[in-house]
Amino acid sequence: MNSVKFSISLLFFWIKGTIEVDHRFVKTDLSNTILGFIPAGKDQQSIPLKNISGAMLSTSYNVKAIILGVLVAFMGFSMFADSIILGLIILVLGLSIAGGGIQTVLNIEKAGTPYLISVPFFEKSKMQEAVNHIQYALAEDTDKTDLNLFFDKKQDRKQHRNQGHHHQPQH
C-alpha cells in the first residue's frame, strides 16, 4: 500500500490529510475545516479502483482571497508604527490568506464525478506522488484484465526459461 500524508491548510500546516492507494481502493482521510483552520470533523472515502477513470493535478487561484490577503498584509504594514507585534500578526495573517488563495487541486474522476482535494501550493510534490500511485494502480489493474498482455508475459517467461536450460554439446 502506498500512502501520502500532506497538509490541508497553509497557516495551520499541522492539520493533515492522507491518501492511501492499494490494488483495490483509493482511501482518503481528510480533516475538514471551517475558514481553513477551525477543525470540523473528517471526510473519509474508500473509492474502489474500478470506479476511477483517472487522476490529475491542477492549480487553482482564488483571486478574491489573494486580493483580500494583500490588503490585510498592507494593513499589517501600516500598523507597525502603532504596534509592531499586532502589525506582524496582521501581516502574517494577510500573507496566509493570500497564499491560501493559491491551491494545488487533485482531481480524482470517480464514476464520472470529480472528487477534488485542495491543498496549499507547497504540497504540490506530494499530490504529484499521489497521482503517480493512483495511475500506477490503474495501469496494474488494467494489465490484470488484458489477456493479450497476460499471454505475452507468459510467453516471455517461457522463452526465458528455455534459454536458461539450453546446453551446447561439447566436442
Side-chain angles (χ1 to χ4, degrees):
M1 175 179 303
N2 294 308
S3 181
V4 178
K5 194 170 196 152
F6 51 90
S7 292
I8 300 289
S9 170
L10 175 68
L11 186 58
F12 300 94
F13 54 87
W14 58 85
I15 299 175
K16 299 289 186 182
T18 307
I19 297 174
E20 295 177 345
V21 182
D22 63 24
H23 66 281
R24 296 179 330 175
F25 291 97
V26 172
K27 297 175 185 172
T28 63
D29 185 359
L30 309 173
S31 296
N32 288 332
T33 59
I34 298 170
L35 301 175
F37 65 93
I38 301 169
K42 292 224 174 238
D43 177 19
Q44 296 176 318
Q45 300 241 349
S46 258
I47 309 164
L49 210 50
K50 298 270 186 218
N51 292 355
I52 297 174
S53 58
M56 60 181 239
L57 275 187
S58 64
T59 303
S60 165
Y61 300 95
N62 181 340
V63 177
K64 290 178 186 174
I66 294 170
I67 292 171
L68 176 66
V70 169
L71 292 175
V72 171
F74 280 131
M75 262 187 357
F77 272 129
S78 68
M79 294 178 135
F80 275 175
D82 297 332
S83 170
I84 291 177
I85 293 174
L86 184 60
L88 192 58
I89 291 170
I90 300 296
L91 174 67
V92 168
L93 184 63
L95 293 175
S96 298
I97 292 169
I102 306 168
Q103 297 271 300
T104 296
V105 181
L106 170 61
N107 179 356
I108 300 172
E109 271 307 309
K110 61 173 195 166
T113 306
Y115 176 59
L116 305 175
I117 300 172
S118 296
V119 299
F121 63 90
F122 64 85
E123 292 289 32
K124 184 173 186 172
S125 63
K126 290 184 181 176
M127 289 297 100
Q128 185 60 56
E129 185 182 341
V131 166
N132 293 345
H133 291 321
I134 292 168
Q135 289 175 342
Y136 180 79
L138 288 171
E140 286 290 307
D141 191 54
T142 301
D143 289 353
K144 284 191 300 192
T145 59
D146 185 338
L147 287 177
N148 288 331
L149 186 63
F150 172 79
F151 287 119
D152 287 347
K153 284 183 180 179
K154 188 175 179 179
Q155 186 65 29
D156 287 345
R157 283 193 299 270
K158 186 176 178 182
Q159 286 177 349
H160 187 263
R161 272 197 312 267
N162 288 342
Q163 288 173 352
H165 296 325
H166 205 290
H167 296 293
Q168 295 272 340
Q170 301 219 350
H171 296 282

